[in-house]
Amino acid sequence: MPDFADFDTRHYRTVDVATGYDRWSSTYEDTVLDAMDLDLLDSLTRPDWAAVSRAADLGCGTGRTGAWLRGRGVPRVDGVDLSPGMLERAHRRGCHTTLARGDVRDTGLPSGAYDLVVSSLIDEHLPDLAPYYAEARRLAAPGGCCVLVAYHPQFMMVSGMPTHFTDASGEDVAISTHLHLLSDHTRAAMAAGWVLAELREAVVDDGWIAAKPKWERFRGHPVSAALVWTVPA
């Protein structure tokens, strides 16, 4: 597996995941564009969101994905996140049925209870994907889905950009970032019993350039991807 350090052009000071997202939580909503993740969810042909009765939102952050799911009629969404700061934001949003501090690889949620396991922009913080996909499989009910939206590995490689935020002092700070090829996802998910049902990739387009003019040099490059996995009913 390639190492992100070999592509890193920023060389920011790096902090661990919980520390980084606690410090980023107050400005996260202002810096992450819907085009990175929520627009990708909108583009998927499956699952049938209206048929989902219970979802596990792993790495729920400030509750953006939970709010999106509720907006599509999902009645119960249980959220788990490692960062108390992000969980506090999610609590204020009020879209989750339950919220708990925990690791996406060992959530403490009930086995076989969820029609949908969903995660957005968290996989780059995992040194190994296998435990995540195994935990998602444990949580999924028969016929359930796992939807994962990822920061695209190709964009990480061509931009040399880690997941990062600007703190109150104006310093750019990276959060521990790992590079996973799409084939790494496929291998780890299939080993856990998942079957790939859909793959969508978002590219840097006019909308992105309008928001980030300096990204003109990345026009046409994939920036994020959504993978939909299923298990037999």
Side-chain angles (χ1 to χ4, degrees):
M1 186 174 68
D3 189 334
F4 175 71
D6 295 334
F7 301 93
D8 188 0
T9 60
R10 304 299 182 91
H11 306 294
Y12 297 145
R13 181 169 62 87
T14 300
V15 297
D16 65 83
V17 175
T19 298
Y21 279 99
D22 272 350
R23 293 172 58 186
W24 194 6
S25 59
S26 63
T27 59
Y28 185 83
E29 296 280 343
D30 302 324
T31 54
V32 176
L33 276 62
D34 288 354
M36 180 69 84
D37 56 347
L38 300 185
D39 290 353
L40 261 179
L41 292 178
D42 273 327
S43 75
L44 296 174
T45 63
R46 56 191 308 179
D48 177 0
W49 305 107
V52 174
S53 62
R54 190 171 184 179
D57 184 6
L58 308 189
C60 64
T62 59
R64 293 171 67 252
T65 303
W68 187 92
L69 290 170
R70 282 299 182 95
R72 275 135 193 90
V74 179
R76 181 181 178 112
V77 184
D78 296 329
V80 174
D81 201 276
L82 198 59
S83 161
M86 299 294 265
L87 285 169
E88 173 58 28
R89 296 277 165 171
H91 178 73
R92 291 185 204 173
R93 194 175 222 125
C95 293
H96 289 85
T97 309
T98 67
L99 286 166
R101 187 180 183 194
D103 193 303
V104 300
R105 299 162 292 188
D106 184 15
T107 63
L109 295 174
S111 298
Y114 296 94
D115 307 306
L116 171 68
V117 180
V118 62
S119 295
S120 183
L121 307 177
I122 61 129
D123 66 291
E124 76 268 25
H125 302 307
L126 303 174
D128 182 5
L129 295 172
Y132 167 82
Y133 280 113
E135 177 68 355
R137 180 66 184 87
R138 182 185 71 80
L139 298 177
C145 286
C146 175
V147 177
L148 184 141
V149 180
Y151 185 19
H152 203 290
Q154 196 272 345
F155 192 78
M156 296 169 70
M157 295 163 82
V158 74
S159 70
M161 188 187 306
T163 297
H164 67 282
F165 65 99
T166 303
D167 70 9
S169 73
E171 179 188 6
D172 290 321
V173 180
I175 300 174
S176 180
T177 299
H178 301 276
L179 178 61
H180 303 294
L181 301 179
L182 296 181
S183 59
D184 297 325
H185 283 275
T186 303
R187 184 164 49 251
M190 290 178 65
W194 292 105
V195 176
L196 185 62
E198 188 171 359
L199 169 62
R200 295 266 179 165
E201 294 166 293
V203 301
V204 178
D205 56 13
D206 289 341
W208 274 105
I209 303 304
K212 297 179 178 289
K214 292 182 180 179
W215 282 23
E216 177 63 45
R217 68 188 188 278
F218 301 129
R219 183 183 290 275
H221 286 280
V223 64
S224 56
L227 301 98
V228 181
W229 306 93
T230 61
V231 290

